Amino acid sequence: MDRRIEQLCAWCGPAFLVVLVVGLWFVAGLIPPPSPSDSAEHIAAFYRANAGQVRLGMLICMLGSVLLAPFIALISRQIRRSSPRLELLADVQLICGVIAVVILLLFELLLATIAFRPDMSPQVLRALNDLAWTTLLWPFSPFSLEYAAIGVAVLTDRREHPLHPRWVGLVSLLVAALFALGGPTLWAMHGAFSWDGLLTLWVVLGSFGLWVSVMCWSMIRAIALQGKAIPPQGKAIPPQGKAIPLQGKAFPPQGRAILPREGD
């Protein structure tokens, strides 16, 4: 694969983060989100007053979410490249990454639906809002499994010059553990574990941003190292004509090797 395509896929990760922050935070105004303890009327009033902004923000987020797909695909490719025995971990990481993209798209679809009909019943609107934020922050298991698979793959690469530094694997395992902080969301209406709280919102999303940044740097580094390690094919294999001497120079002509007889 062309190195430029791989580098483009690596940069899709930070690009996804920038687009997501712009769409969800600065345009839609949904960071931090409405509190789960807010009344239905309060939440409905927010969406009715900001329906246009939420629609535009979700459009931006939807366009940016697909950038996560090439980023995830490149991670899977590099895991396969590091060792054939890690191919199963690459499959696990890829499948969980696809699930993560689907979760993001469902989250954006639910918020876009609320903004499409902000005049619906406040009770129904709050239920859709609850569903959207629960969809994003509660199902942590696919995310955690993906990052754990990457961490194990990096740490089990025992070559003299591994594709990724070992600390990248440790960061992936740490982020996999931090994503589990979304689990108590269903039991928290207030405090650090609610979906607008310190742990479930800020720590989880912050660790995700850290992981994307670290993986982008590590993959670009790996692409550069592979480019230096593998020379072009024309230089690695000398032309065949130079490797094999000409037959005429190796063996003298037959007429010169046989002397004439005395009687001739």
Side-chain angles (χ1 to χ4, degrees), residues 53-232:
Q53 294 174 254
V54 174
R55 292 173 192 170
L56 178 59
M58 291 307 101
L59 175 61
I60 295 172
C61 289
M62 182 267 294
L63 295 174
S65 294
V66 296
L67 295 176
L68 193 57
F71 184 76
I72 292 170
L74 179 60
I75 295 175
S76 178
R77 179 180 179 85
Q78 290 197 345
I79 292 176
R80 295 176 188 277
R81 184 181 294 166
S82 63
S83 176
R85 63 189 179 86
L86 300 177
E87 289 186 355
L88 184 58
L89 287 177
D91 292 338
V92 172
Q93 177 270 326
L94 183 61
I95 293 172
C96 291
V98 171
I99 295 174
V101 175
V102 172
I103 288 174
L104 286 170
L105 291 174
L106 286 175
F107 165 73
E108 295 152 7
L109 176 62
L110 289 167
L111 291 180
T113 302
I114 295 173
F116 180 69
R117 292 194 183 277
D119 56 346
M120 69 179 73
S121 165
Q123 298 296 333
V124 176
L125 190 149
R126 184 172 67 171
L128 289 175
N129 179 75
D130 291 350
L131 180 58
W133 289 100
T134 303
T135 298
L136 178 67
L137 295 172
W138 182 65
F140 64 89
S141 56
F143 297 90
S144 292
L145 183 57
E146 178 189 3
Y147 308 147
I150 295 170
V152 172
V154 172
L155 293 176
T156 54
D157 188 354
R158 299 295 185 181
R159 295 177 298 173
E160 184 179 356
H161 300 289
L163 201 58
H164 300 284
R166 289 182 58 83
W167 64 265
V168 173
L170 297 175
V171 169
S172 294
L173 292 178
L174 174 62
V175 173
L178 290 176
F179 258 69
L181 295 174
T185 300
L186 293 183
W187 288 268
M189 299 292 289
H190 309 272
F193 286 103
S194 63
W195 65 56
D196 64 334
L198 173 63
L199 297 180
T200 299
L201 179 69
W202 297 107
V203 172
V204 169
L205 296 186
S207 64
F208 177 70
L210 171 66
W211 175 80
V212 170
S213 302
V214 168
M215 288 305 303
C216 175
W217 172 84
S218 185
M219 288 194 295
I220 290 176
R221 172 183 173 274
I223 293 168
L225 291 176
Q226 287 174 345
K228 295 179 181 178
I230 303 176

